[in-house]
PDB file of all heavy atoms in Angstrom:
ATOM      1  N   MET A   1      -2.802  12.913  -2.311  1.00 98.00           N
ATOM      2  CA  MET A   1      -2.293  12.212  -3.479  1.00 98.00           C
ATOM      3  C   MET A   1      -1.162  11.291  -3.076  1.00 98.00           C
ATOM      4  O   MET A   1      -1.006  10.185  -3.619  1.00 98.00           O
ATOM      5  CB  MET A   1      -1.843  13.211  -4.527  1.00 98.00           C
ATOM      6  CG  MET A   1      -1.372  12.590  -5.831  1.00 98.00           C
ATOM      7  SD  MET A   1      -0.792  13.809  -7.037  1.00 98.00           S
ATOM      8  CE  MET A   1       0.886  14.102  -6.418  1.00 98.00           C
ATOM      9  N   GLY A   2      -0.357  11.720  -2.122  1.00 98.00           N
ATOM     10  CA  GLY A   2       0.727  10.896  -1.598  1.00 98.00           C
ATOM     11  C   GLY A   2       0.232   9.778  -0.726  1.00 98.00           C
ATOM     12  O   GLY A   2       0.900   8.743  -0.575  1.00 98.00           O
ATOM     13  N   GLY A   3      -0.989   9.937  -0.161  1.00 98.00           N
ATOM     14  CA  GLY A   3      -1.602   8.830   0.583  1.00 98.00           C
ATOM     15  C   GLY A   3      -2.006   7.728  -0.384  1.00 98.00           C
ATOM     16  O   GLY A   3      -1.816   6.537  -0.102  1.00 98.00           O
ATOM     17  N   PHE A   4      -2.537   8.125  -1.544  1.00 98.00           N
ATOM     18  CA  PHE A   4      -2.841   7.140  -2.593  1.00 98.00           C
ATOM     19  C   PHE A   4      -1.557   6.444  -3.044  1.00 98.00           C
ATOM     20  O   PHE A   4      -1.534   5.233  -3.257  1.00 98.00           O
ATOM     21  CB  PHE A   4      -3.502   7.836  -3.787  1.00 98.00           C
ATOM     22  CG  PHE A   4      -4.984   8.059  -3.625  1.00 98.00           C
ATOM     23  CD1 PHE A   4      -5.454   9.223  -3.055  1.00 98.00           C
ATOM     24  CD2 PHE A   4      -5.892   7.111  -4.070  1.00 98.00           C
ATOM     25  CE1 PHE A   4      -6.829   9.437  -2.909  1.00 98.00           C
ATOM     26  CE2 PHE A   4      -7.251   7.303  -3.931  1.00 98.00           C
ATOM     27  CZ  PHE A   4      -7.732   8.476  -3.345  1.00 98.00           C
ATOM     28  N   GLY A   5      -0.481   7.234  -3.177  1.00 98.00           N
ATOM     29  CA  GLY A   5       0.799   6.666  -3.563  1.00 98.00           C
ATOM     30  C   GLY A   5       1.324   5.673  -2.555  1.00 98.00           C
ATOM     31  O   GLY A   5       1.898   4.634  -2.919  1.00 98.00           O
ATOM     32  N   THR A   6       1.124   5.987  -1.291  1.00 98.00           N
ATOM     33  CA  THR A   6       1.566   5.087  -0.218  1.00 98.00           C
ATOM     34  C   THR A   6       0.822   3.759  -0.276  1.00 98.00           C
ATOM     35  O   THR A   6       1.438   2.682  -0.229  1.00 98.00           O
ATOM     36  CB  THR A   6       1.376   5.753   1.149  1.00 98.00           C
ATOM     37  OG1 THR A   6       2.120   6.970   1.196  1.00 98.00           O
ATOM     38  CG2 THR A   6       1.839   4.841   2.285  1.00 98.00           C
ATOM     39  N   TRP A   7      -0.502   3.844  -0.409  1.00 98.00           N
ATOM     40  CA  TRP A   7      -1.287   2.605  -0.512  1.00 98.00           C
ATOM     41  C   TRP A   7      -0.873   1.810  -1.757  1.00 98.00           C
ATOM     42  O   TRP A   7      -0.761   0.580  -1.726  1.00 98.00           O
ATOM     43  CB  TRP A   7      -2.779   2.922  -0.600  1.00 98.00           C
ATOM     44  CG  TRP A   7      -3.441   3.287   0.674  1.00 98.00           C
ATOM     45  CD1 TRP A   7      -4.013   4.503   1.016  1.00 98.00           C
ATOM     46  CD2 TRP A   7      -3.654   2.442   1.827  1.00 98.00           C
ATOM     47  NE1 TRP A   7      -4.524   4.454   2.289  1.00 98.00           N
ATOM     48  CE2 TRP A   7      -4.332   3.200   2.809  1.00 98.00           C
ATOM     49  CE3 TRP A   7      -3.304   1.132   2.115  1.00 98.00           C
ATOM     50  CZ2 TRP A   7      -4.684   2.679   4.046  1.00 98.00           C
ATOM     51  CZ3 TRP A   7      -3.668   0.609   3.361  1.00 98.00           C
ATOM     52  CH2 TRP A   7      -4.345   1.366   4.302  1.00 98.00           C
ATOM     53  N   ASP A   8      -0.641   2.513  -2.862  1.00 98.00           N
ATOM     54  CA  ASP A   8      -0.252   1.837  -4.112  1.00 98.00           C
ATOM     55  C   ASP A   8       1.061   1.085  -3.944  1.00 98.00           C
ATOM     56  O   ASP A   8       1.186  -0.073  -4.363  1.00 98.00           O
ATOM     57  CB  ASP A   8      -0.130   2.886  -5.229  1.00 98.00           C
ATOM     58  CG  ASP A   8       0.186   2.258  -6.573  1.00 98.00           C
ATOM     59  OD1 ASP A   8      -0.656   1.544  -7.118  1.00 98.00           O
ATOM     60  OD2 ASP A   8       1.308   2.470  -7.071  1.00 98.00           O
ATOM     61  N   ILE A   9       2.017   1.725  -3.318  1.00 98.00           N
ATOM     62  CA  ILE A   9       3.339   1.107  -3.158  1.00 98.00           C
ATOM     63  C   ILE A   9       3.285  -0.134  -2.286  1.00 98.00           C
ATOM     64  O   ILE A   9       3.873  -1.161  -2.627  1.00 98.00           O
ATOM     65  CB  ILE A   9       4.345   2.135  -2.586  1.00 98.00           C
ATOM     66  CG1 ILE A   9       4.774   3.120  -3.684  1.00 98.00           C
ATOM     67  CG2 ILE A   9       5.564   1.434  -1.979  1.00 98.00           C
ATOM     68  CD1 ILE A   9       5.629   4.260  -3.186  1.00 98.00           C
ATOM     69  N   ILE A  10       2.570  -0.079  -1.168  1.00 98.00           N
ATOM     70  CA  ILE A  10       2.605  -1.210  -0.244  1.00 98.00           C
ATOM     71  C   ILE A  10       1.763  -2.386  -0.737  1.00 98.00           C
ATOM     72  O   ILE A  10       1.890  -3.508  -0.225  1.00 98.00           O
ATOM     73  CB  ILE A  10       2.196  -0.836   1.197  1.00 98.00           C
ATOM     74  CG1 ILE A  10       0.751  -0.347   1.260  1.00 98.00           C
ATOM     75  CG2 ILE A  10       3.179   0.194   1.741  1.00 98.00           C
ATOM     76  CD1 ILE A  10       0.274  -0.061   2.697  1.00 98.00           C
ATOM     77  N   THR A  11       0.907  -2.139  -1.765  1.00 98.00           N
ATOM     78  CA  THR A  11       0.165  -3.263  -2.381  1.00 98.00           C
ATOM     79  C   THR A  11       0.794  -3.679  -3.707  1.00 98.00           C
ATOM     80  O   THR A  11       0.722  -4.848  -4.078  1.00 98.00           O
ATOM     81  CB  THR A  11      -1.310  -2.887  -2.595  1.00 98.00           C
ATOM     82  OG1 THR A  11      -1.401  -1.644  -3.311  1.00 98.00           O
ATOM     83  CG2 THR A  11      -2.017  -2.736  -1.249  1.00 98.00           C
ATOM     84  N   ARG A  12       1.427  -2.749  -4.414  1.00 98.00           N
ATOM     85  CA  ARG A  12       2.094  -3.084  -5.678  1.00 98.00           C
ATOM     86  C   ARG A  12       3.445  -3.743  -5.434  1.00 98.00           C
ATOM     87  O   ARG A  12       3.895  -4.597  -6.224  1.00 98.00           O
ATOM     88  CB  ARG A  12       2.298  -1.806  -6.500  1.00 98.00           C
ATOM     89  CG  ARG A  12       2.776  -2.078  -7.933  1.00 98.00           C
ATOM     90  CD  ARG A  12       2.956  -0.771  -8.699  1.00 98.00           C
ATOM     91  NE  ARG A  12       1.702  -0.036  -8.837  1.00 98.00           N
ATOM     92  CZ  ARG A  12       0.798  -0.261  -9.783  1.00 98.00           C
ATOM     93  NH1 ARG A  12       1.020  -1.190 -10.710  1.00 98.00           N
ATOM     94  NH2 ARG A  12      -0.314   0.457  -9.846  1.00 98.00           N
ATOM     95  N   TYR A  13       4.106  -3.358  -4.338  1.00 98.00           N
ATOM     96  CA  TYR A  13       5.403  -3.920  -3.975  1.00 98.00           C
ATOM     97  C   TYR A  13       5.322  -4.531  -2.578  1.00 98.00           C
ATOM     98  O   TYR A  13       5.857  -3.993  -1.606  1.00 98.00           O
ATOM     99  CB  TYR A  13       6.479  -2.848  -4.031  1.00 98.00           C
ATOM    100  CG  TYR A  13       6.728  -2.288  -5.411  1.00 98.00           C
ATOM    101  CD1 TYR A  13       6.046  -1.160  -5.873  1.00 98.00           C
ATOM    102  CD2 TYR A  13       7.629  -2.918  -6.281  1.00 98.00           C
ATOM    103  CE1 TYR A  13       6.248  -0.662  -7.155  1.00 98.00           C
ATOM    104  CE2 TYR A  13       7.833  -2.444  -7.566  1.00 98.00           C
ATOM    105  CZ  TYR A  13       7.140  -1.323  -7.984  1.00 98.00           C
ATOM    106  OH  TYR A  13       7.342  -0.831  -9.269  1.00 98.00           O
ATOM    107  N   PRO A  14       4.576  -5.631  -2.452  1.00 97.00           N
ATOM    108  CA  PRO A  14       4.332  -6.238  -1.135  1.00 97.00           C
ATOM    109  C   PRO A  14       5.628  -6.518  -0.370  1.00 97.00           C
ATOM    110  O   PRO A  14       6.576  -7.069  -0.928  1.00 97.00           O
ATOM    111  CB  PRO A  14       3.602  -7.536  -1.464  1.00 97.00           C
ATOM    112  CG  PRO A  14       2.993  -7.311  -2.807  1.00 97.00           C
ATOM    113  CD  PRO A  14       3.975  -6.442  -3.533  1.00 97.00           C
ATOM    114  N   GLY A  15       5.642  -6.107   0.857  1.00 95.00           N
ATOM    115  CA  GLY A  15       6.768  -6.398   1.740  1.00 95.00           C
ATOM    116  C   GLY A  15       7.979  -5.527   1.577  1.00 95.00           C
ATOM    117  O   GLY A  15       8.948  -5.664   2.330  1.00 95.00           O
ATOM    118  N   MET A  16       7.954  -4.604   0.641  1.00 97.00           N
ATOM    119  CA  MET A  16       9.134  -3.749   0.443  1.00 97.00           C
ATOM    120  C   MET A  16       9.326  -2.823   1.636  1.00 97.00           C
ATOM    121  O   MET A  16      10.432  -2.681   2.144  1.00 97.00           O
ATOM    122  CB  MET A  16       8.997  -2.921  -0.837  1.00 97.00           C
ATOM    123  CG  MET A  16      10.163  -1.973  -1.061  1.00 97.00           C
ATOM    124  SD  MET A  16      10.046  -1.100  -2.649  1.00 97.00           S
ATOM    125  CE  MET A  16      11.493  -0.049  -2.553  1.00 97.00           C
ATOM    126  N   PHE A  17       8.209  -2.209   2.075  1.00 98.00           N
ATOM    127  CA  PHE A  17       8.294  -1.298   3.216  1.00 98.00           C
ATOM    128  C   PHE A  17       7.719  -1.982   4.449  1.00 98.00           C
ATOM    129  O   PHE A  17       6.640  -2.575   4.404  1.00 98.00           O
ATOM    130  CB  PHE A  17       7.544  -0.008   2.929  1.00 98.00           C
ATOM    131  CG  PHE A  17       8.278   0.899   1.991  1.00 98.00           C
ATOM    132  CD1 PHE A  17       8.134   0.783   0.621  1.00 98.00           C
ATOM    133  CD2 PHE A  17       9.138   1.884   2.477  1.00 98.00           C
ATOM    134  CE1 PHE A  17       8.821   1.601  -0.253  1.00 98.00           C
ATOM    135  CE2 PHE A  17       9.832   2.707   1.612  1.00 98.00           C
ATOM    136  CZ  PHE A  17       9.672   2.580   0.243  1.00 98.00           C
ATOM    137  N   LYS A  18       8.435  -1.864   5.572  1.00 97.00           N
ATOM    138  CA  LYS A  18       7.993  -2.487   6.808  1.00 97.00           C
ATOM    139  C   LYS A  18       6.908  -1.670   7.477  1.00 97.00           C
ATOM    140  O   LYS A  18       6.022  -2.209   8.145  1.00 97.00           O
ATOM    141  CB  LYS A  18       9.188  -2.633   7.754  1.00 97.00           C
ATOM    142  CG  LYS A  18       8.865  -3.304   9.084  1.00 97.00           C
ATOM    143  CD  LYS A  18       8.400  -4.750   8.890  1.00 97.00           C
ATOM    144  CE  LYS A  18       8.163  -5.429  10.206  1.00 97.00           C
ATOM    145  NZ  LYS A  18       7.686  -6.839  10.033  1.00 97.00           N
ATOM    146  N   THR A  19       6.981  -0.325   7.317  1.00 97.00           N
ATOM    147  CA  THR A  19       6.060   0.550   8.013  1.00 97.00           C
ATOM    148  C   THR A  19       5.480   1.563   7.024  1.00 97.00           C
ATOM    149  O   THR A  19       6.194   2.108   6.182  1.00 97.00           O
ATOM    150  CB  THR A  19       6.788   1.320   9.134  1.00 97.00           C
ATOM    151  OG1 THR A  19       7.293   0.351  10.081  1.00 97.00           O
ATOM    152  CG2 THR A  19       5.882   2.285   9.847  1.00 97.00           C
ATOM    153  N   ALA A  20       4.157   1.817   7.134  1.00 98.00           N
ATOM    154  CA  ALA A  20       3.496   2.754   6.235  1.00 98.00           C
ATOM    155  C   ALA A  20       2.524   3.634   7.004  1.00 98.00           C
ATOM    156  O   ALA A  20       1.793   3.153   7.880  1.00 98.00           O
ATOM    157  CB  ALA A  20       2.760   2.001   5.126  1.00 98.00           C
ATOM    158  N   VAL A  21       2.506   4.926   6.639  1.00 98.00           N
ATOM    159  CA  VAL A  21       1.596   5.887   7.255  1.00 98.00           C
ATOM    160  C   VAL A  21       0.885   6.660   6.144  1.00 98.00           C
ATOM    161  O   VAL A  21       1.310   7.752   5.774  1.00 98.00           O
ATOM    162  CB  VAL A  21       2.332   6.852   8.203  1.00 98.00           C
ATOM    163  CG1 VAL A  21       1.338   7.781   8.895  1.00 98.00           C
ATOM    164  CG2 VAL A  21       3.137   6.083   9.258  1.00 98.00           C
ATOM    165  N   PRO A  22      -0.198   6.094   5.573  1.00 98.00           N
ATOM    166  CA  PRO A  22      -0.960   6.821   4.564  1.00 98.00           C
ATOM    167  C   PRO A  22      -1.952   7.780   5.232  1.00 98.00           C
ATOM    168  O   PRO A  22      -2.677   7.376   6.141  1.00 98.00           O
ATOM    169  CB  PRO A  22      -1.690   5.712   3.791  1.00 98.00           C
ATOM    170  CG  PRO A  22      -1.525   4.452   4.609  1.00 98.00           C
ATOM    171  CD  PRO A  22      -0.690   4.732   5.780  1.00 98.00           C
ATOM    172  N   VAL A  23      -1.975   9.016   4.750  1.00 98.00           N
ATOM    173  CA  VAL A  23      -2.859  10.028   5.335  1.00 98.00           C
ATOM    174  C   VAL A  23      -3.825  10.521   4.283  1.00 98.00           C
ATOM    175  O   VAL A  23      -3.411  10.956   3.192  1.00 98.00           O
ATOM    176  CB  VAL A  23      -2.062  11.206   5.922  1.00 98.00           C
ATOM    177  CG1 VAL A  23      -2.972  12.208   6.587  1.00 98.00           C
ATOM    178  CG2 VAL A  23      -0.996  10.704   6.921  1.00 98.00           C
ATOM    179  N   CYS A  24      -5.108  10.469   4.587  1.00 98.00           N
ATOM    180  CA  CYS A  24      -6.242  10.893   3.733  1.00 98.00           C
ATOM    181  C   CYS A  24      -6.054  10.497   2.276  1.00 98.00           C
ATOM    182  O   CYS A  24      -6.226  11.314   1.364  1.00 98.00           O
ATOM    183  CB  CYS A  24      -6.518  12.393   3.876  1.00 98.00           C
ATOM    184  SG  CYS A  24      -5.200  13.548   3.481  1.00 98.00           S
ATOM    185  N   GLY A  25      -5.710   9.242   2.081  1.00 98.00           N
ATOM    186  CA  GLY A  25      -5.593   8.677   0.723  1.00 98.00           C
ATOM    187  C   GLY A  25      -6.535   7.514   0.561  1.00 98.00           C
ATOM    188  O   GLY A  25      -7.471   7.318   1.357  1.00 98.00           O
ATOM    189  N   GLY A  26      -6.320   6.745  -0.465  1.00 98.00           N
ATOM    190  CA  GLY A  26      -7.130   5.555  -0.704  1.00 98.00           C
ATOM    191  C   GLY A  26      -6.384   4.605  -1.629  1.00 98.00           C
ATOM    192  O   GLY A  26      -5.391   4.987  -2.242  1.00 98.00           O
ATOM    193  N   GLY A  27      -6.877   3.403  -1.709  1.00 98.00           N
ATOM    194  CA  GLY A  27      -6.196   2.400  -2.535  1.00 98.00           C
ATOM    195  C   GLY A  27      -7.176   1.413  -3.116  1.00 98.00           C
ATOM    196  O   GLY A  27      -8.388   1.630  -3.098  1.00 98.00           O
ATOM    197  N   SER A  28      -6.643   0.313  -3.626  1.00 98.00           N
ATOM    198  CA  SER A  28      -7.467  -0.727  -4.213  1.00 98.00           C
ATOM    199  C   SER A  28      -7.901  -1.738  -3.147  1.00 98.00           C
ATOM    200  O   SER A  28      -7.064  -2.394  -2.547  1.00 98.00           O
ATOM    201  CB  SER A  28      -6.681  -1.465  -5.300  1.00 98.00           C
ATOM    202  OG  SER A  28      -7.418  -2.597  -5.761  1.00 98.00           O
ATOM    203  N   ILE A  29      -9.196  -1.828  -2.937  1.00 98.00           N
ATOM    204  CA  ILE A  29      -9.677  -2.731  -1.903  1.00 98.00           C
ATOM    205  C   ILE A  29      -9.460  -4.197  -2.290  1.00 98.00           C
ATOM    206  O   ILE A  29      -9.367  -5.058  -1.442  1.00 98.00           O
ATOM    207  CB  ILE A  29     -11.161  -2.474  -1.560  1.00 98.00           C
ATOM    208  CG1 ILE A  29     -12.044  -2.608  -2.815  1.00 98.00           C
ATOM    209  CG2 ILE A  29     -11.329  -1.099  -0.923  1.00 98.00           C
ATOM    210  CD1 ILE A  29     -13.534  -2.476  -2.532  1.00 98.00           C
ATOM    211  N   THR A  30      -9.369  -4.479  -3.608  1.00 98.00           N
ATOM    212  CA  THR A  30      -9.123  -5.850  -4.028  1.00 98.00           C
ATOM    213  C   THR A  30      -7.671  -6.243  -3.907  1.00 98.00           C
ATOM    214  O   THR A  30      -7.348  -7.429  -3.953  1.00 98.00           O
ATOM    215  CB  THR A  30      -9.604  -6.075  -5.469  1.00 98.00           C
ATOM    216  OG1 THR A  30      -8.957  -5.136  -6.332  1.00 98.00           O
ATOM    217  CG2 THR A  30     -11.110  -5.900  -5.576  1.00 98.00           C
ATOM    218  N   GLU A  31      -6.790  -5.277  -3.768  1.00 98.00           N
ATOM    219  CA  GLU A  31      -5.357  -5.539  -3.639  1.00 98.00           C
ATOM    220  C   GLU A  31      -4.862  -5.332  -2.231  1.00 98.00           C
ATOM    221  O   GLU A  31      -3.695  -5.577  -1.918  1.00 98.00           O
ATOM    222  CB  GLU A  31      -4.557  -4.618  -4.572  1.00 98.00           C
ATOM    223  CG  GLU A  31      -4.905  -4.745  -6.038  1.00 98.00           C
ATOM    224  CD  GLU A  31      -4.637  -6.133  -6.570  1.00 98.00           C
ATOM    225  OE1 GLU A  31      -3.485  -6.589  -6.483  1.00 98.00           O
ATOM    226  OE2 GLU A  31      -5.593  -6.770  -7.076  1.00 98.00           O
ATOM    227  N   ALA A  32      -5.733  -4.895  -1.331  1.00 98.00           N
ATOM    228  CA  ALA A  32      -5.345  -4.522   0.038  1.00 98.00           C
ATOM    229  C   ALA A  32      -4.647  -5.678   0.758  1.00 98.00           C
ATOM    230  O   ALA A  32      -3.715  -5.454   1.554  1.00 98.00           O
ATOM    231  CB  ALA A  32      -6.562  -4.054   0.825  1.00 98.00           C
ATOM    232  N   TYR A  33      -5.082  -6.897   0.504  1.00 98.00           N
ATOM    233  CA  TYR A  33      -4.522  -8.048   1.218  1.00 98.00           C
ATOM    234  C   TYR A  33      -3.012  -8.196   0.994  1.00 98.00           C
ATOM    235  O   TYR A  33      -2.301  -8.817   1.789  1.00 98.00           O
ATOM    236  CB  TYR A  33      -5.233  -9.339   0.777  1.00 98.00           C
ATOM    237  CG  TYR A  33      -4.882  -9.787  -0.618  1.00 98.00           C
ATOM    238  CD1 TYR A  33      -3.893 -10.750  -0.847  1.00 98.00           C
ATOM    239  CD2 TYR A  33      -5.543  -9.255  -1.735  1.00 98.00           C
ATOM    240  CE1 TYR A  33      -3.558 -11.162  -2.117  1.00 98.00           C
ATOM    241  CE2 TYR A  33      -5.214  -9.657  -3.015  1.00 98.00           C
ATOM    242  CZ  TYR A  33      -4.239 -10.607  -3.204  1.00 98.00           C
ATOM    243  OH  TYR A  33      -3.905 -11.006  -4.478  1.00 98.00           O
ATOM    244  N   LYS A  34      -2.510  -7.601  -0.098  1.00 97.00           N
ATOM    245  CA  LYS A  34      -1.082  -7.714  -0.394  1.00 97.00           C
ATOM    246  C   LYS A  34      -0.216  -6.909   0.572  1.00 97.00           C
ATOM    247  O   LYS A  34       1.007  -7.047   0.566  1.00 97.00           O
ATOM    248  CB  LYS A  34      -0.812  -7.284  -1.830  1.00 97.00           C
ATOM    249  CG  LYS A  34      -1.426  -8.220  -2.871  1.00 97.00           C
ATOM    250  CD  LYS A  34      -1.114  -7.751  -4.277  1.00 97.00           C
ATOM    251  CE  LYS A  34      -1.726  -8.687  -5.316  1.00 97.00           C
ATOM    252  NZ  LYS A  34      -1.487  -8.219  -6.689  1.00 97.00           N
ATOM    253  N   ALA A  35      -0.853  -6.061   1.358  1.00 97.00           N
ATOM    254  CA  ALA A  35      -0.101  -5.252   2.331  1.00 97.00           C
ATOM    255  C   ALA A  35       0.246  -6.051   3.597  1.00 97.00           C
ATOM    256  O   ALA A  35       0.838  -5.482   4.528  1.00 97.00           O
ATOM    257  CB  ALA A  35      -0.886  -4.002   2.692  1.00 97.00           C
ATOM    258  N   GLU A  36      -0.104  -7.307   3.595  1.00 96.00           N
ATOM    259  CA  GLU A  36       0.225  -8.134   4.774  1.00 96.00           C
ATOM    260  C   GLU A  36       1.735  -8.092   5.014  1.00 96.00           C
ATOM    261  O   GLU A  36       2.536  -8.202   4.093  1.00 96.00           O
ATOM    262  CB  GLU A  36      -0.219  -9.572   4.558  1.00 96.00           C
ATOM    263  CG  GLU A  36      -0.006 -10.458   5.758  1.00 96.00           C
ATOM    264  CD  GLU A  36      -0.573 -11.863   5.527  1.00 96.00           C
ATOM    265  OE1 GLU A  36      -0.910 -12.203   4.393  1.00 96.00           O
ATOM    266  OE2 GLU A  36      -0.660 -12.615   6.545  1.00 96.00           O
ATOM    267  N   GLY A  37       2.109  -7.923   6.257  1.00 94.00           N
ATOM    268  CA  GLY A  37       3.527  -7.845   6.604  1.00 94.00           C
ATOM    269  C   GLY A  37       4.014  -6.411   6.775  1.00 94.00           C
ATOM    270  O   GLY A  37       5.129  -6.185   7.248  1.00 94.00           O
ATOM    271  N   THR A  38       3.191  -5.442   6.372  1.00 97.00           N
ATOM    272  CA  THR A  38       3.515  -4.040   6.565  1.00 97.00           C
ATOM    273  C   THR A  38       2.731  -3.497   7.743  1.00 97.00           C
ATOM    274  O   THR A  38       1.509  -3.692   7.825  1.00 97.00           O
ATOM    275  CB  THR A  38       3.176  -3.215   5.287  1.00 97.00           C
ATOM    276  OG1 THR A  38       3.943  -3.680   4.197  1.00 97.00           O
ATOM    277  CG2 THR A  38       3.481  -1.736   5.525  1.00 97.00           C
TER     278      THR A  38
END
């Protein structure tokens, strides 16, 4: 559930976190591009 939260944060708040380690989670494939820079 925290892996989902990690993916959500780095796509909902692009560029806020420099480094992310999501484990066995998932996110929005249409929003994934917003994680650029992380």
Side-chain angles (χ1 to χ4, degrees):
M1 184 181 81
F4 278 89
T6 301
W7 283 115
D8 183 68
I9 284 173
I10 64 175
T11 52
R12 189 180 298 276
Y13 295 92
M16 178 176 177
F17 285 87
K18 181 64 176 179
T19 299
V21 183
V23 183
C24 59
S28 172
I29 57 175
T30 56
E31 301 299 302
Y33 72 96
K34 293 180 179 178
E36 185 176 12
T38 298

